[in-house]
Amino acid sequence: MSRFRRTVAEFFRTGGVGANVTVPFKQQAFDLVTYVTTRAQQAGAVNTLVPLGYGQLLGDNTDGIGLVRDLQTNLQQKLTNRDVIILGAGGAARGVIAPLIEQGVASLTIANRTIEKANLLVEQFAQPSLHACRFDQLTIPTGALVINATSASLSGQKLPLKTNELAHAECAYDMMYGAQPTAFMQQAQQAGITAVHDGLGMLVEQAGAAFQMWHEGAELDTLKVIQKLRESIGE
Ligand code: ATR
């Protein structure tokens, strides 16, 4: 039995009412649970564990709804009829494709360094609004929303995006966050985009959605949590 599996079992055996799971354990969590929700199935990953009794676990994925809530509710970014670009085709990208499409985006383009991975996602989701391209093929429609779902920000690496192309976007969102603006956020600022955001709000909103699962719909004051977290990291 893996250490992750043992830790989860022990947590629920000793009365844990719910748990969030983060990188790099979301796939292991997916394999471990008894049932998965449709959105976890689509994401291919589990970030929320809900005990069902008798040692059984439900696996959910609230990352997509977390992103959608942060963009739409907190940041007032329209998704319906919007051109949206996702940079990256790994687990982080996969988890947010279906929730973004559900909001009625005009188009969703997955740009990735390795085109094969982006093509695979397009095949899997099979939606007419979904397209794949390499970074050097990317054209960004005016007013688009560009979301960084690559792990490049983790290592402080810039993405191979043309500044004059990026400048067409109206909003840039990095699913990563940190005390300082990420490399992608800096690229977006340099391109002249004024609405540039990190993923702290997504982190809190996915937790808020998970909290509701664990506490019979009880709502978390997510805006207050975001504010407190920003204060604590010295922003
Ligand atoms: P995660 O689950 O966090 O999405 P992942 O599955 O390892 O992590 O995927 C990482 C993503 O970041 C991939 O899309 C990867 O591109 P490749 O598919 O070409 O590997 C992308 N990525 C990581 N570092 C990058 C960099 N320096 N430039 C461009 N893309 C990068």
Side-chain angles (χ1 to χ4, degrees):
M1 195 193 268
S2 72
R3 192 165 157 204
F4 174 73
R5 193 175 273 264
R6 275 203 309 274
T7 306
V8 169
E10 177 69 5
F11 176 72
F12 286 110
R13 199 183 54 73
T14 54
V17 295
N20 258 164
V21 178
T22 193
V23 178
F25 296 108
K26 292 183 192 182
Q27 261 76 39
Q28 280 191 58
F30 185 87
D31 294 336
L32 172 145
V33 295
T34 328
Y35 306 101
V36 286
T37 60
T38 306
R39 55 193 187 184
Q41 186 73 51
Q42 284 170 328
V46 158
N47 81 333
T48 302
L49 298 174
V50 184
L52 300 172
Y54 305 102
Q56 296 194 323
L57 286 175
L58 173 69
D60 195 5
N61 192 312
T62 59
D63 284 332
I65 189 69
L67 174 68
V68 166
R69 284 187 187 163
D70 193 37
L71 285 167
Q72 288 194 146
T73 311
N74 302 341
L75 304 171
Q76 307 290 305
Q77 289 294 328
K78 186 175 84 103
L79 292 172
T80 310
N81 287 326
R82 188 95 181 258
D83 292 304
V84 179
I85 318 282
I86 298 181
L87 308 174
R94 183 173 169 176
V96 299
I97 291 171
L100 287 171
I101 289 173
E102 274 166 29
Q103 299 308 311
V105 294
S107 68
L108 187 57
T109 304
I110 304 170
N112 200 44
R113 185 172 59 180
T114 314
I115 183 72
E116 291 78 9
K117 278 166 77 177
N119 282 337
L120 257 182
L121 287 179
V122 170
E123 270 171 43
Q124 275 170 12
F125 284 89
Q127 292 287 329
S129 55
L130 193 58
H131 313 278
C133 69
R134 287 194 315 262
F135 284 109
D136 60 358
Q137 300 168 316
L138 180 63
T139 55
I140 299 180
T142 305
L145 163 67
V146 181
I147 301 168
N148 179 25
T150 72
S151 51
S153 291
L154 279 178
S155 48
Q157 284 177 306
K158 288 200 166 178
L159 292 170
L161 293 166
K162 295 186 203 99
T163 304
N164 57 352
E165 200 56 53
L166 192 54
H168 295 147
E170 193 181 280
C171 176
Y173 187 98
D174 199 328
M175 285 167 62
M176 302 284 159
Y177 50 87
Q180 305 300 324
T182 64
F184 170 68
M185 289 168 72
Q186 290 175 32
Q187 274 181 281
Q189 280 159 349
Q190 278 155 17
I193 303 173
T194 44
V196 178
H197 304 283
D198 69 10
L200 190 73
M202 174 181 173
L203 172 78
V204 174
E205 292 297 341
Q206 66 76 28
F211 187 87
Q212 283 188 312
M213 304 267 305
W214 303 323
H215 300 289
E216 287 147 16
E219 284 206 27
L220 193 69
D221 187 346
T222 50
L223 282 181
K224 204 169 186 176
V225 176
I226 293 168
Q227 192 193 341
K228 286 267 175 217
L229 279 173
R230 293 218 184 274
E231 280 166 18
S232 75
I233 59 176
E235 280 188 18

